[in-house]
Amino acid sequence: MKELKRRILEDGRVIGTDILKVDHFLNHQIDPVLMQTIGNKFADIFKKDQVSKVITIESSGIAPALMTGLALKVPVIFARKKKPVTLNEGSLATEIVSFTKHVRNTVYIEKDMLQTGDRVLIIDDFLANGEASLGLARLIEMAGAEVAGVGIVIEKSFQEGRRRLDHAGYRVCSLARIASLGNGKVEFVDK
Ligand code: G4P
């Protein structure tokens, strides 16, 4: 997606050799117009996949997921990283290891958010090692629902996530694919 790539080049900042900081439009301050364009793009890509729900993980996945749900006119679920007191005993949970933040998180959704027959689109802001998307896929499958696809705003193609998701058989569409972040410079997979 041209507009997203331009924005990454203009406003993104490379930290070290593997982190892209995009706090001015995605991870801290959010550009709602760009998010709407992203949501429309995902809706267009997955329009033939009979998506009945969109799922993400709090917090940075919520903005693109919400805009995708709006465009597809389906509900949006976000998995929680802390078990709220209001969550029923029958919640579904799975553990996600964050290699970037060096923490393990258990993520939760309420069991009745997904039903057998649901076709669920996973949306996330970053794809690095694939832990978040694979964790969401586990929650979907635990509920007896099906993964309709995976939509990623920024894929770091030099990390393991893309290969792991492809290997698991999921259809992955990323709006910007980054080949490398060496020398403080963003190189895209396709120019
Ligand atoms: P994975 O899910 O693909 O395995 O990713 P990983 O564990 O490596 O990433 C953990 C967290 O770090 C995720 O956010 C992910 O979005 C974020 N992250 C990974 N690579 C980058 C990067 O290059 N730039 C930025 N800005 N973030 C990155 P999270 O812990 O779920 O936090 P949040 O959604 O609450 O912001």
Side-chain angles (χ1 to χ4, degrees), residues 116-154:
T116 308
D118 266 325
R119 288 185 46 82
V120 189
L121 175 61
I122 296 169
I123 296 287
D124 212 354
D125 56 335
F126 271 94
L127 175 60
N129 293 295
E131 281 291 316
S133 295
L134 288 165
L136 288 171
R138 283 195 296 279
L139 289 178
I140 293 166
E141 286 160 6
M142 275 181 217
E146 221 181 313
V147 177
V150 182
I152 299 292
V153 180
I154 303 174

Short mmCIF file of all heavy atoms in Angstrom, two decimals, residues 116-154:
data_model
loop_
_atom_site.label_atom_id
_atom_site.label_comp_id
_atom_site.label_asym_id
_atom_site.label_seq_id
_atom_site.Cartn_x
_atom_site.Cartn_y
_atom_site.Cartn_z
N THR A 116 -18.89 -21.91 16.65
CA THR A 116 -18.62 -22.79 15.52
C THR A 116 -19.29 -22.17 14.29
O THR A 116 -20.41 -21.70 14.38
CB THR A 116 -19.27 -24.18 15.78
OG1 THR A 116 -18.84 -24.61 17.06
CG2 THR A 116 -18.87 -25.20 14.72
N GLY A 117 -18.57 -22.16 13.20
CA GLY A 117 -19.14 -21.56 11.98
C GLY A 117 -18.64 -20.15 11.74
O GLY A 117 -18.71 -19.65 10.62
N ASP A 118 -18.12 -19.49 12.80
CA ASP A 118 -17.55 -18.15 12.59
C ASP A 118 -16.30 -18.26 11.73
O ASP A 118 -15.49 -19.19 11.88
CB ASP A 118 -17.16 -17.52 13.94
CG ASP A 118 -18.27 -16.64 14.49
OD1 ASP A 118 -18.97 -15.98 13.69
OD2 ASP A 118 -18.42 -16.59 15.73
N ARG A 119 -16.16 -17.30 10.81
CA ARG A 119 -14.94 -17.19 10.01
C ARG A 119 -14.27 -15.89 10.43
O ARG A 119 -14.81 -14.80 10.22
CB ARG A 119 -15.27 -17.21 8.52
CG ARG A 119 -15.72 -18.64 8.09
CD ARG A 119 -15.93 -18.75 6.62
NE ARG A 119 -14.87 -18.17 5.82
CZ ARG A 119 -13.71 -18.77 5.52
NH1 ARG A 119 -13.44 -19.97 5.97
NH2 ARG A 119 -12.83 -18.15 4.76
N VAL A 120 -13.10 -16.03 11.04
CA VAL A 120 -12.53 -14.91 11.77
C VAL A 120 -11.26 -14.40 11.10
O VAL A 120 -10.34 -15.17 10.81
CB VAL A 120 -12.23 -15.34 13.23
CG1 VAL A 120 -11.84 -14.13 14.07
CG2 VAL A 120 -13.44 -16.04 13.85
N LEU A 121 -11.24 -13.10 10.87
CA LEU A 121 -10.08 -12.45 10.26
C LEU A 121 -9.20 -11.86 11.37
O LEU A 121 -9.66 -11.06 12.17
CB LEU A 121 -10.55 -11.33 9.31
CG LEU A 121 -9.47 -10.46 8.67
CD1 LEU A 121 -8.52 -11.28 7.81
CD2 LEU A 121 -10.12 -9.35 7.83
N ILE A 122 -7.94 -12.29 11.39
CA ILE A 122 -6.96 -11.76 12.35
C ILE A 122 -6.34 -10.50 11.77
O ILE A 122 -5.85 -10.52 10.64
CB ILE A 122 -5.87 -12.81 12.63
CG1 ILE A 122 -6.47 -14.06 13.30
CG2 ILE A 122 -4.73 -12.22 13.46
CD1 ILE A 122 -5.51 -15.26 13.38
N ILE A 123 -6.36 -9.41 12.54
CA ILE A 123 -5.70 -8.18 12.10
C ILE A 123 -4.70 -7.77 13.17
O ILE A 123 -5.01 -7.80 14.37
CB ILE A 123 -6.73 -7.02 11.91
CG1 ILE A 123 -7.73 -7.34 10.79
CG2 ILE A 123 -6.03 -5.68 11.66
CD1 ILE A 123 -7.20 -7.25 9.36
N ASP A 124 -3.48 -7.38 12.76
CA ASP A 124 -2.53 -6.86 13.75
C ASP A 124 -1.66 -5.78 13.13
O ASP A 124 -1.54 -5.69 11.91
CB ASP A 124 -1.68 -7.99 14.34
CG ASP A 124 -1.30 -7.72 15.81
OD1 ASP A 124 -1.60 -6.61 16.32
OD2 ASP A 124 -0.70 -8.60 16.45
N ASP A 125 -1.07 -4.97 14.01
CA ASP A 125 -0.25 -3.85 13.52
C ASP A 125 1.09 -4.35 12.98
O ASP A 125 1.51 -3.96 11.89
CB ASP A 125 -0.06 -2.78 14.61
CG ASP A 125 0.54 -3.32 15.90
OD1 ASP A 125 0.39 -4.53 16.17
OD2 ASP A 125 1.17 -2.54 16.64
N PHE A 126 1.77 -5.23 13.73
CA PHE A 126 3.09 -5.73 13.32
C PHE A 126 3.10 -7.24 13.24
O PHE A 126 2.44 -7.92 14.03
CB PHE A 126 4.17 -5.31 14.34
CG PHE A 126 4.79 -3.99 14.04
CD1 PHE A 126 4.31 -2.83 14.63
CD2 PHE A 126 5.85 -3.89 13.16
CE1 PHE A 126 4.88 -1.59 14.34
CE2 PHE A 126 6.43 -2.66 12.86
CZ PHE A 126 5.95 -1.51 13.46
N LEU A 127 3.83 -7.77 12.29
CA LEU A 127 4.14 -9.20 12.29
C LEU A 127 5.66 -9.31 12.43
O LEU A 127 6.40 -8.87 11.55
CB LEU A 127 3.68 -9.86 10.99
CG LEU A 127 4.04 -11.35 10.81
CD1 LEU A 127 3.44 -12.20 11.92
CD2 LEU A 127 3.56 -11.87 9.46
N ALA A 128 6.08 -9.86 13.57
CA ALA A 128 7.51 -10.04 13.81
C ALA A 128 7.79 -11.55 13.84
O ALA A 128 8.11 -12.15 12.82
CB ALA A 128 7.92 -9.35 15.11
N ASN A 129 7.59 -12.14 15.01
CA ASN A 129 7.83 -13.59 15.11
C ASN A 129 6.56 -14.42 14.98
O ASN A 129 6.60 -15.64 15.04
CB ASN A 129 8.54 -13.89 16.42
CG ASN A 129 9.94 -13.30 16.41
OD1 ASN A 129 10.79 -13.71 15.63
ND2 ASN A 129 10.17 -12.29 17.24
N GLY A 130 5.46 -13.74 14.85
CA GLY A 130 4.20 -14.45 14.59
C GLY A 130 3.48 -14.96 15.82
O GLY A 130 2.44 -15.60 15.72
N GLU A 131 4.04 -14.67 17.01
CA GLU A 131 3.44 -15.20 18.24
C GLU A 131 2.01 -14.72 18.45
O GLU A 131 1.13 -15.50 18.81
CB GLU A 131 4.30 -14.80 19.45
CG GLU A 131 5.53 -15.65 19.62
CD GLU A 131 5.18 -17.08 20.04
OE1 GLU A 131 4.33 -17.25 20.92
OE2 GLU A 131 5.74 -18.02 19.45
N ALA A 132 1.78 -13.44 18.21
CA ALA A 132 0.44 -12.88 18.45
C ALA A 132 -0.58 -13.51 17.49
O ALA A 132 -1.64 -13.98 17.92
CB ALA A 132 0.47 -11.36 18.27
N SER A 133 -0.25 -13.56 16.20
CA SER A 133 -1.20 -14.12 15.23
C SER A 133 -1.43 -15.61 15.47
O SER A 133 -2.57 -16.09 15.39
CB SER A 133 -0.67 -13.92 13.80
OG SER A 133 -0.63 -12.55 13.51
N LEU A 134 -0.37 -16.34 15.79
CA LEU A 134 -0.54 -17.78 16.04
C LEU A 134 -1.35 -18.00 17.32
O LEU A 134 -2.16 -18.93 17.39
CB LEU A 134 0.83 -18.47 16.13
CG LEU A 134 1.54 -18.60 14.77
CD1 LEU A 134 3.03 -18.95 14.95
CD2 LEU A 134 0.87 -19.66 13.88
N GLY A 135 -1.17 -17.13 18.31
CA GLY A 135 -1.96 -17.22 19.55
C GLY A 135 -3.44 -16.95 19.27
O GLY A 135 -4.32 -17.66 19.76
N LEU A 136 -3.71 -15.93 18.45
CA LEU A 136 -5.11 -15.63 18.09
C LEU A 136 -5.72 -16.79 17.31
O LEU A 136 -6.87 -17.15 17.54
CB LEU A 136 -5.18 -14.33 17.28
CG LEU A 136 -4.92 -13.05 18.07
CD1 LEU A 136 -4.82 -11.85 17.13
CD2 LEU A 136 -6.00 -12.80 19.12
N ALA A 137 -4.93 -17.37 16.42
CA ALA A 137 -5.43 -18.52 15.65
C ALA A 137 -5.79 -19.67 16.59
O ALA A 137 -6.80 -20.35 16.42
CB ALA A 137 -4.38 -18.96 14.63
N ARG A 138 -4.97 -19.87 17.64
CA ARG A 138 -5.27 -20.94 18.61
C ARG A 138 -6.60 -20.66 19.31
O ARG A 138 -7.43 -21.56 19.48
CB ARG A 138 -4.16 -21.07 19.66
CG ARG A 138 -2.91 -21.77 19.18
CD ARG A 138 -2.01 -22.19 20.34
NE ARG A 138 -1.47 -21.08 21.11
CZ ARG A 138 -0.42 -20.33 20.77
NH1 ARG A 138 0.23 -20.58 19.66
NH2 ARG A 138 0.01 -19.36 21.55
N LEU A 139 -6.82 -19.39 19.70
CA LEU A 139 -8.07 -19.04 20.39
C LEU A 139 -9.27 -19.29 19.47
O LEU A 139 -10.30 -19.82 19.89
CB LEU A 139 -8.07 -17.57 20.82
CG LEU A 139 -7.13 -17.19 21.98
CD1 LEU A 139 -7.20 -15.69 22.23
CD2 LEU A 139 -7.48 -17.95 23.26
N ILE A 140 -9.13 -18.91 18.20
CA ILE A 140 -10.22 -19.09 17.22
C ILE A 140 -10.54 -20.58 17.09
O ILE A 140 -11.70 -21.00 17.15
CB ILE A 140 -9.79 -18.50 15.85
CG1 ILE A 140 -9.67 -16.98 15.93
CG2 ILE A 140 -10.76 -18.92 14.74
CD1 ILE A 140 -8.93 -16.34 14.75
N GLU A 141 -9.49 -21.38 16.97
CA GLU A 141 -9.69 -22.81 16.75
C GLU A 141 -10.20 -23.51 18.02
O GLU A 141 -11.01 -24.44 17.95
CB GLU A 141 -8.42 -23.43 16.16
CG GLU A 141 -8.30 -23.00 14.68
CD GLU A 141 -6.91 -23.10 14.07
OE1 GLU A 141 -5.99 -23.63 14.74
OE2 GLU A 141 -6.74 -22.66 12.91
N MET A 142 -9.77 -23.03 19.20
CA MET A 142 -10.30 -23.58 20.47
C MET A 142 -11.80 -23.38 20.56
O MET A 142 -12.51 -24.19 21.13
CB MET A 142 -9.70 -22.82 21.67
CG MET A 142 -8.38 -23.29 22.17
SD MET A 142 -7.96 -22.22 23.59
CE MET A 142 -6.22 -22.08 23.35
N ALA A 143 -12.27 -22.27 19.97
CA ALA A 143 -13.71 -21.96 20.01
C ALA A 143 -14.49 -22.72 18.95
O ALA A 143 -15.71 -22.60 18.85
CB ALA A 143 -13.91 -20.45 19.84
N GLY A 144 -13.79 -23.49 18.12
CA GLY A 144 -14.46 -24.24 17.06
C GLY A 144 -14.73 -23.39 15.83
O GLY A 144 -15.45 -23.81 14.91
N ALA A 145 -14.15 -22.19 15.79
CA ALA A 145 -14.32 -21.30 14.63
C ALA A 145 -13.13 -21.50 13.69
O ALA A 145 -12.22 -22.28 13.97
CB ALA A 145 -14.44 -19.86 15.09
N GLU A 146 -13.15 -20.75 12.60
CA GLU A 146 -12.15 -20.94 11.54
C GLU A 146 -11.39 -19.64 11.28
O GLU A 146 -12.00 -18.56 11.32
CB GLU A 146 -12.93 -21.30 10.27
CG GLU A 146 -12.32 -22.38 9.43
CD GLU A 146 -13.20 -22.59 8.20
OE1 GLU A 146 -14.43 -22.68 8.35
OE2 GLU A 146 -12.64 -22.64 7.11
N VAL A 147 -10.11 -19.74 10.97
CA VAL A 147 -9.33 -18.55 10.60
C VAL A 147 -9.62 -18.24 9.12
O VAL A 147 -9.34 -19.06 8.25
CB VAL A 147 -7.82 -18.80 10.81
CG1 VAL A 147 -7.00 -17.59 10.35
CG2 VAL A 147 -7.51 -19.13 12.27
N ALA A 148 -10.15 -17.04 8.86
CA ALA A 148 -10.47 -16.66 7.47
C ALA A 148 -9.24 -16.08 6.77
O ALA A 148 -9.16 -16.07 5.54
CB ALA A 148 -11.61 -15.65 7.45
N GLY A 149 -8.30 -15.59 7.56
CA GLY A 149 -7.09 -15.00 6.99
C GLY A 149 -6.39 -14.15 8.04
O GLY A 149 -6.89 -14.00 9.16
N VAL A 150 -5.23 -13.61 7.65
CA VAL A 150 -4.45 -12.76 8.56
C VAL A 150 -4.08 -11.49 7.80
O VAL A 150 -3.45 -11.56 6.74
CB VAL A 150 -3.16 -13.48 9.03
CG1 VAL A 150 -2.38 -12.60 10.02
CG2 VAL A 150 -3.47 -14.83 9.66
N GLY A 151 -4.46 -10.35 8.34
CA GLY A 151 -4.13 -9.05 7.73
C GLY A 151 -3.17 -8.30 8.64
O GLY A 151 -3.46 -8.08 9.81
N ILE A 152 -2.01 -7.95 8.08
CA ILE A 152 -0.97 -7.30 8.88
C ILE A 152 -0.68 -5.92 8.29
O ILE A 152 -0.54 -5.78 7.07
CB ILE A 152 0.32 -8.16 8.84
CG1 ILE A 152 0.07 -9.56 9.43
CG2 ILE A 152 1.49 -7.44 9.51
CD1 ILE A 152 -0.20 -9.62 10.92
N VAL A 153 -0.56 -4.92 9.14
CA VAL A 153 -0.25 -3.58 8.63
C VAL A 153 1.23 -3.54 8.21
O VAL A 153 1.54 -3.23 7.06
CB VAL A 153 -0.58 -2.49 9.67
CG1 VAL A 153 -0.23 -1.10 9.12
CG2 VAL A 153 -2.06 -2.55 10.08
N ILE A 154 2.14 -3.89 9.12
CA ILE A 154 3.57 -3.86 8.79
C ILE A 154 4.21 -5.22 9.11
O ILE A 154 4.24 -5.64 10.27
CB ILE A 154 4.30 -2.74 9.57
CG1 ILE A 154 3.66 -1.38 9.28
CG2 ILE A 154 5.80 -2.73 9.23
CD1 ILE A 154 4.22 -0.22 10.12
#
